Amino acid sequence: MACQCLGSALVTSTGASRGLASAVTRKPLRMSTHTKSVTVTAARLSGNCHRSLSCFHSKAVPAHSHCNSRRQRHQVRTEAYNQKPDIADRVVASVPYLIPLCDGLRYGKFFFAQFPQFARLLAPLNPLVSLYFTVPFASFAVFFAVYLGIINNQNFSRYCRFNAMQAVLLDIVLILPGLFENLIRPPSSGPGLQAYISLYNSIWLFVFACVAYGIGACLTGQTPRLPFIADAADQQVR
């Protein structure tokens, strides 16, 4: 009886050892399967990263094309500046400069009183100036006629539209001293009056110099670039 119990115990231990051996042999298989899944996952991640990088490079291409388009526009503007305009474009480009000249005459009242001979030089423009100020809303009509008829009219060359835009911006700048004068009462005597006269003379000389330079450059076929105004006009005209 004891022998039979010993034999059954040996058989049981033998079966347990076989089960343990089979379990040990199966674990590497499970580890290998897990390793394969990790490998596949890593491959998928690398593929996604590669696609993301390719998408990033594809999205970065339009930035270079945008820079190239800007260079092309700058080249077109440079070529437009280098081309000599014809006689008709020169006349059309020089006419809008008369608008800031007429609106700037009010700032030359002290200068004309000190130098009356200078006022005689502008005597041929008296009929135009009187018509400009006597006809109701003539200044607004002329302003919008130049803005809509020349600046926004693609039938005119860029040379004409650029100079018209410079003249309009110069005329807009002349509004600022008038607004400042309405807020502060002009002095009537003393150093304040002298400073007031000097300011008016400076504004008039600046306007007259810009107008003379603009008209003279247009009539000779050059491209005038007024200080503080040319860059703004260049951005507005396409």
Side-chain angles (χ1 to χ4, degrees):
M1 188 71 176
C3 291
Q4 291 178 356
C5 292
L6 182 61
S8 61
L10 290 173
V11 171
T12 303
S13 63
T14 304
S17 63
R18 289 178 179 177
L20 181 62
S22 63
V24 171
T25 56
R26 288 176 184 175
K27 283 184 179 180
L29 293 175
R30 293 179 181 177
M31 292 297 292
S32 62
T33 304
H34 180 67
T35 305
K36 289 181 180 179
S37 63
V38 172
T39 304
V40 172
T41 304
R44 290 178 180 176
L45 290 175
S46 63
N48 292 332
C49 293
H50 180 70
R51 286 193 295 270
S52 299
L53 290 174
S54 62
C55 292
F56 175 77
H57 288 296
S58 63
K59 291 179 180 179
V61 171
H64 296 288
S65 62
H66 181 67
C67 294
N68 292 331
S69 63
R70 290 182 61 184
R71 292 177 181 175
Q72 291 177 357
R73 289 196 299 268
H74 180 70
Q75 184 177 1
V76 170
R77 291 177 181 178
T78 304
E79 292 177 356
Y81 290 149
N82 294 331
Q83 292 178 355
K84 290 291 185 181
D86 54 11
I87 302 299
D89 287 343
R90 297 180 187 183
V91 174
V92 173
S94 61
V95 169
Y97 287 104
L98 295 177
I99 300 176
L101 179 64
C102 293
D103 289 331
L105 289 174
R106 55 174 297 195
Y107 299 104
K109 57 182 180 180
F110 299 111
F111 188 83
F112 296 149
Q114 296 175 0
F115 304 97
Q117 64 273 13
F118 190 86
R120 298 190 187 97
L121 296 176
L122 301 177
L125 297 177
N126 287 335
L128 180 63
V129 173
S130 61
L131 183 66
Y132 183 78
F133 287 106
T134 54
V135 176
F137 305 104
S139 59
F140 292 100
V142 173
F143 181 88
F144 285 106
V146 172
Y147 187 80
L148 298 176
I150 299 178
I151 297 175
N152 290 338
N153 191 352
Q154 298 296 328
N155 294 326
F156 287 100
S157 63
R158 192 181 188 279
Y159 182 80
C160 297
R161 292 184 287 114
F162 172 74
N163 284 281
M165 192 67 200
Q166 280 198 135
V168 167
L169 291 178
L170 180 60
D171 190 60
I172 294 175
V173 170
L174 293 177
I175 300 175
L176 300 178
L179 295 176
F180 184 76
E181 186 179 2
N182 293 330
L183 295 176
I184 299 177
R185 184 178 179 181
S188 58
S189 62
L193 179 61
Q194 296 297 326
Y196 179 72
I197 294 174
S198 299
L199 179 61
Y200 259 52
N201 291 339
S202 300
I203 295 173
W204 163 247
L205 291 176
F206 174 76
V207 172
F208 181 79
C210 289
V211 170
Y213 168 59
I215 294 177
C218 289
L219 293 179
T220 56
Q222 304 297 323
T223 302
R225 296 189 64 85
L226 303 182
F228 313 111
I229 297 175
D231 292 336
D234 202 10
Q235 293 177 0
Q236 295 295 325
V237 178
R238 300 182 183 277

